[in-house]
Amino acid sequence: MPRSSWTQRLEPYLMLAPAGVWLFLLLILPTLMIFQISLVPDIKPGDLVNPSSLGNYLEIFDPIVLWIVARSIGLSIATTVLCLLLGFPVAYWIALLAPRRWQNLLLLAFVLPLWTSSLLRSYAWISILRPTGVLNTILSFLHLPTLDLMNQLPAVLIGMTYSLLPYMVLILYASLEKLDRRLLEAAADLGAKPLEAFLQVTVPQVLPGIAAGVLLVFINAIGDFVNPELLGGPSSMTAARLVYSKFLGASPDWGMGSALSALLIMFVTLSIVLLLKYGDKNARTL
Amino acid sequence: MAQLLSQTSSDTNVQGALDIELRKVFKVFDGEAAVRGVDLDIRQGEFFSILGPSGCGKTTLLRLIAGFETPTAGDLLIRQTSMVGIPPYRRPVNTVFQSYALFSHLTVEDNIAFGLKIQKMSRGEIQARVFEALRLVQLEPLAKRFPSQLSGGQQQRVALARALVNRPTVLLLDEPLGALDLKLRKEMQLELKRLHQQLNITFVMVTHDQEEALTMSDRIAVMNGGKLEQVGTPSQIYDRPQSQFVAEFIGDTNIISGKIEGSHPAMLWVKSDDGEKIQVQPTMSGQRLLTAGRVAINLRPEKIQLLRSDPRQDGMALEGMNCFEGSLVSTLYLGTHVNCVIRLQSGRTLLVRQPSPETVSKIAGPVYVLWSPQDCLALALPE
């Protein structure tokens, strides 16, 4: 029986519907609500007035808040750079140098930490980094000066890098694994030493993968709440923690919390759009 | 127009001098020998082909010259300098890869300029040379395109220009035309010949296509099982194959096995396994002149004449010729010629090539095959 054209046209929508409803109810609707709350000054829990002013947004331009936002961005950039620097050699080694039969096992080993709760991983880092923890026990055993990293930014950076490194490795691996090795032979044939071939052929060839990895790690880093909260102590306040405290802390301010959330959402969306555009330009040449 | 590109190589081009020398080269992969003791000289300025079936080691041989593989044993010299331990980026050769291996993130222009930029050449000179190379392969209008925007034939030209722009001592070509369709193949064959004549540098091409090797090369090395079967000019390879493998790999051939019954410096008398008495002009088989033992007679289908009446009755002078009666079994029309299968009275079948379909179409009844002892070749068979 021939299918009528309207069922054919409806088919993709029907297939998208379950995920679409899910996304609408749990992502788009709450986001819109946050935007609405962000426009109401002095909102108290349970009380929704008609949106009226940008006052909450002006509160963000308080030097203290701006400093927290800047710290968040700086921390996320540092995490992303660390993940790229640590992840690239690993992904390169697994994709291009390791024996083929080991590749899946090695990747699995890298993804394994993702199977445990992020909370658990943070607690594990606490037991390593705290003043009487594993790290300092080893250092003092070796008669080296002990390190006080806990409840400071370095601990947060370590925790976040550890959490996000597997994502970077996975994405870079996927990109490097597709790299045509004959291109490296062609580069060598044309006189390029290994480092020149790496910089002029390998890196440009996997640039879309690098962009994707950087984007994913950066977005996750800026939204990370667990690592700064558990490892950072009071001194390393980040935007995500500030949002949390504005909703659930001792002195709630939903309006300002929502405004900060809204700005973060817009910032992340903007970076995605920019990187997608950049990534696209790269993809076109492939 | 090619002067700029060929300057360095033509200056030092001496007739008969060697560009590449392989001395007892072996290459073993995981206990499996891909190249087994190859000795080979490639002369300056020649178009040299390495021909063989897939898996014979021909690509490994090329990769050894390019430096992507290191010999397990033996020595390899380019212009009298040993290349053992020299990485590919320090060798005076450039390669056109089988599937071109163009840099997809660079434009045609930047692909061609890659080698020159690595050499830190001045911008002006790079521009001049790239322009020259683009003209050489007739791709000027496509300089700003990316490889993905080009057809297979155009990509092939970019790969050629990218290699030639560096003015290599030797240009290595790995199955350069393998990915092209028949018409484009023929065009590029002419193009490659033209470039070779114009640039006067040594071309070493790997191919599995015997026709391509025969039409394009000055000399051919036929490879089998990691060894060289024969090295020679196309006509030496085709008309005087030194081994059964070469005879069968290059073109169609009839093989008649038999035993030498009598010999004379100018003639061998062979009795085939089916009883025919065949006269063969003796030739060197390997290193020795055959006088006795079992042989395989090789007879090219185009060397056989097909006659409709018995030439002995027609009074033709048949002294020293081979002539047998048979019947036409089938014909295969191939455009420029016809392949006929003739069954001799002994039951043996022969492939005979006839130039025009008309002469064959009306044949009924007995036919006669005729060939001269000079046109067939006896190769020794192991006892």
Side-chain angles (χ1 to χ4, degrees):
Chain A
M1 190 178 111
R3 292 186 309 171
S4 62
S5 68
W6 69 268
T7 41
Q8 258 182 17
R9 240 177 291 158
L10 213 61
E11 209 170 49
Y13 296 103
L14 285 172
M15 290 174 87
L16 288 172
V21 169
W22 181 270
L23 276 178
F24 181 77
L25 288 180
L26 297 175
L27 182 75
I28 298 172
L29 207 59
T31 309
L32 289 174
M33 283 165 73
I34 283 171
F35 276 106
Q36 192 194 13
I37 295 170
S38 74
L39 294 172
V40 182
D42 296 327
I43 193 168
K44 295 287 173 289
D47 151 40
L48 251 179
V49 201
N50 284 334
S52 58
S53 89
L54 289 171
N56 290 325
Y57 286 88
L58 294 176
E59 275 184 61
I60 294 169
F61 291 93
D62 176 338
I64 296 171
V65 178
L66 283 180
W67 180 240
I68 291 171
V69 171
R71 181 190 289 136
S72 273
I73 293 173
L75 196 61
S76 301
I77 290 174
T79 303
T80 309
V81 169
L82 264 179
C83 280
L84 186 60
L85 291 180
L86 293 173
F88 199 98
V90 173
Y92 187 90
W93 185 73
I94 297 178
L96 296 170
L97 305 175
R100 260 201 184 272
R101 57 181 188 281
W102 288 13
Q103 281 182 356
N104 286 334
L105 206 68
L106 288 165
L107 275 181
L108 192 71
F110 252 85
V111 179
L112 224 51
L114 292 180
W115 293 2
T116 59
S117 132
S118 60
L119 212 58
L120 222 58
R121 277 180 272 152
S122 292
Y123 277 114
W125 276 112
I126 291 176
S127 69
I128 293 170
L129 297 176
R130 69 174 178 222
T132 56
V134 178
L135 179 68
N136 280 336
T137 310
I138 294 172
L139 286 176
S140 58
F141 180 76
L142 297 171
H143 303 290
L144 292 166
T146 58
L147 291 168
D148 184 20
L149 301 171
M150 204 44 216
N151 293 329
Q152 291 178 49
L153 281 177
V156 182
L157 191 59
I158 290 170
M160 278 172 42
T161 304
Y162 177 75
S163 301
L164 297 172
L165 188 58
Y167 295 106
M168 185 64 101
V169 170
L170 271 183
I171 290 183
L172 289 179
Y173 168 81
S175 189
L176 281 162
E177 199 255 322
K178 279 184 287 179
L179 179 72
D180 185 350
R181 285 166 211 221
R182 282 166 316 174
L183 296 184
L184 301 181
E185 288 188 346
D189 189 69
L190 294 165
K193 296 179 187 73
L195 183 65
E196 290 170 320
F198 176 78
L199 293 175
Q200 295 186 35
V201 177
T202 309
V203 171
Q205 285 284 328
V206 298
L207 209 53
I210 294 174
V214 162
L215 185 67
L216 186 75
V217 168
F218 183 78
I219 291 168
N220 274 289
I222 212 146
D224 190 6
F225 165 76
V226 174
N227 281 307
E229 182 72 13
L230 294 181
L231 302 173
S235 66
S236 26
M237 179 58 83
T238 64
R241 288 177 76 185
L242 189 60
V243 170
Y244 173 83
S245 73
K246 288 294 171 194
F247 278 91
L248 298 170
S251 51
D253 180 354
W254 282 28
M256 197 267 187
S258 298
L260 191 53
S261 293
L263 274 186
L264 282 177
I265 290 167
M266 287 189 278
F267 176 70
V268 166
T269 312
L270 190 71
S271 20
I272 293 176
V273 167
L274 284 177
L275 266 159
L276 276 185
K277 219 179 150 184
Y278 180 68
D280 241 4
K281 198 172 87 194
N282 242 295
R284 212 175 44 222
T285 70
L286 287 177
Chain B
M1 130 167 136
Q3 273 164 358
L4 198 62
L5 281 163
S6 60
Q7 237 168 33
T8 49
S9 52
S10 57
D11 286 349
T12 47
N13 205 337
V14 184
Q15 192 62 42
L18 298 178
D19 259 350
I20 296 175
E21 296 160 73
L22 276 75
R23 299 279 170 257
K24 293 264 174 300
V25 170
F26 283 85
K27 178 65 193 178
V28 181
F29 293 109
D30 298 326
E32 193 111 10
V35 173
R36 304 159 185 256
V38 166
D39 276 300
L40 182 63
D41 291 336
I42 298 174
R43 297 173 196 141
Q44 276 182 26
E46 75 179 334
F47 196 126
F48 193 91
S49 291
I50 303 169
L51 174 67
S54 60
C56 72
K58 57 188 191 298
T59 294
T60 305
L61 205 60
L62 198 78
R63 291 173 60 81
L64 283 163
I65 299 172
F68 303 131
E69 310 287 353
T70 48
T72 311
D75 199 5
L76 192 156
L77 295 90
I78 298 178
R79 291 267 166 105
Q80 287 80 48
T81 309
S82 175
M83 287 291 134
V84 175
I86 307 283
Y89 53 85
R90 291 221 182 83
R91 296 193 182 197
V93 299
N94 285 111
T95 308
V96 175
F97 290 85
Q98 186 165 12
S99 42
Y100 318 137
L102 298 178
F103 303 123
S104 53
H105 62 285
L106 298 178
T107 59
V108 167
E109 213 171 29
D110 291 339
N111 262 283
I112 298 172
F114 190 93
L116 305 179
K117 282 183 183 162
I118 291 285
Q119 289 175 43
K120 310 259 186 309
M121 203 168 271
S122 75
R123 281 185 63 141
E125 187 161 5
I126 290 178
Q127 265 187 347
R129 283 234 223 160
V130 168
F131 181 69
E132 195 70 36
L134 278 168
R135 269 216 339 223
L136 195 68
V137 296
Q138 295 151 21
L139 278 182
E140 302 105 305
L142 304 179
K144 306 281 180 205
R145 297 261 186 103
F146 283 97
S148 60
Q149 299 165 314
L150 302 180
S151 71
Q154 290 165 340
Q155 291 184 19
Q156 163 71 263
R157 287 160 193 268
V158 178
L160 266 169
R162 185 179 70 174
L164 288 170
V165 79
N166 302 292
R167 298 175 188 167
T169 302
V170 178
L171 182 73
L172 305 175
L173 303 118
D174 185 7
E175 300 261 7
L177 311 177
L180 304 177
D181 62 53
L182 188 66
K183 188 167 177 290
L184 210 51
R185 265 181 102 93
K186 300 280 176 207
E187 277 175 37
M188 284 308 295
Q189 285 179 7
L190 292 175
E191 182 86 12
L192 277 178
K193 272 309 263 187
R194 178 181 69 84
L195 284 171
H196 177 248
Q197 280 159 5
Q198 211 172 340
L199 300 176
N200 197 27
I201 62 174
T202 311
F203 279 37
V204 180
M205 179 174 80
V206 158
T207 180
H208 65 268
D209 184 331
Q210 40 106 358
E211 197 190 317
E212 191 168 284
L214 288 174
T215 54
M216 297 177 72
S217 321
D218 296 321
R219 286 198 309 148
I220 299 170
V222 182
M223 249 187 123
N224 183 34
K227 289 182 176 162
L228 293 184
E229 289 275 339
Q230 186 172 356
V231 180
T233 63
S235 72
Q236 282 170 346
I237 298 277
Y238 188 81
D239 295 328
R240 289 281 172 256
Q242 281 170 8
S243 72
Q244 204 51 48
F245 176 83
V246 175
E248 285 178 63
F249 189 73
I250 313 281
D252 294 325
T253 188
N254 292 293
I255 293 156
I256 306 164
S257 53
K259 195 171 183 306
I260 297 179
E261 297 218 306
S263 73
H264 178 271
M267 195 66 78
L268 290 176
W269 288 272
V270 177
K271 188 176 182 199
S272 82
D273 295 345
D274 290 329
E276 289 102 355
K277 289 197 164 71
I278 300 167
Q279 303 176 73
V280 184
Q281 194 174 59
T283 47
M284 301 287 281
S285 174
Q287 294 302 312
R288 67 202 171 92
L289 200 64
L290 286 171
T291 53
R294 287 187 55 74
V295 290
I297 298 172
N298 284 270
L299 179 59
R300 296 283 184 198
E302 70 274 15
K303 305 282 191 191
I304 305 174
Q305 275 188 64
L306 196 61
L307 303 166
R308 282 203 236 180
S309 54
D310 192 340
R312 283 161 288 212
Q313 285 173 4
D314 293 352
M316 270 176 71
L318 284 179
E319 194 52 43
M321 296 288 274
N322 295 298
C323 182
F324 298 98
E325 188 182 331
S327 58
L328 181 68
V329 178
S330 63
T331 59
L332 186 62
Y333 178 67
L334 291 166
T336 52
H337 58 264
V338 185
N339 276 351
C340 309
V341 178
I342 307 293
R343 178 171 288 124
L344 303 186
Q345 282 170 327
S346 65
R348 169 186 304 285
T349 55
L350 285 182
L351 185 67
V352 179
R353 181 164 299 168
Q354 285 296 104
S356 67
E358 290 76 26
T359 55
V360 184
S361 59
K362 297 164 215 119
I363 287 179
V367 290
Y368 298 85
V369 290
L370 185 71
W371 74 89
S372 146
Q374 295 151 21
D375 287 337
C376 55
L377 183 78
L379 295 167
L381 277 178
E383 288 294 325

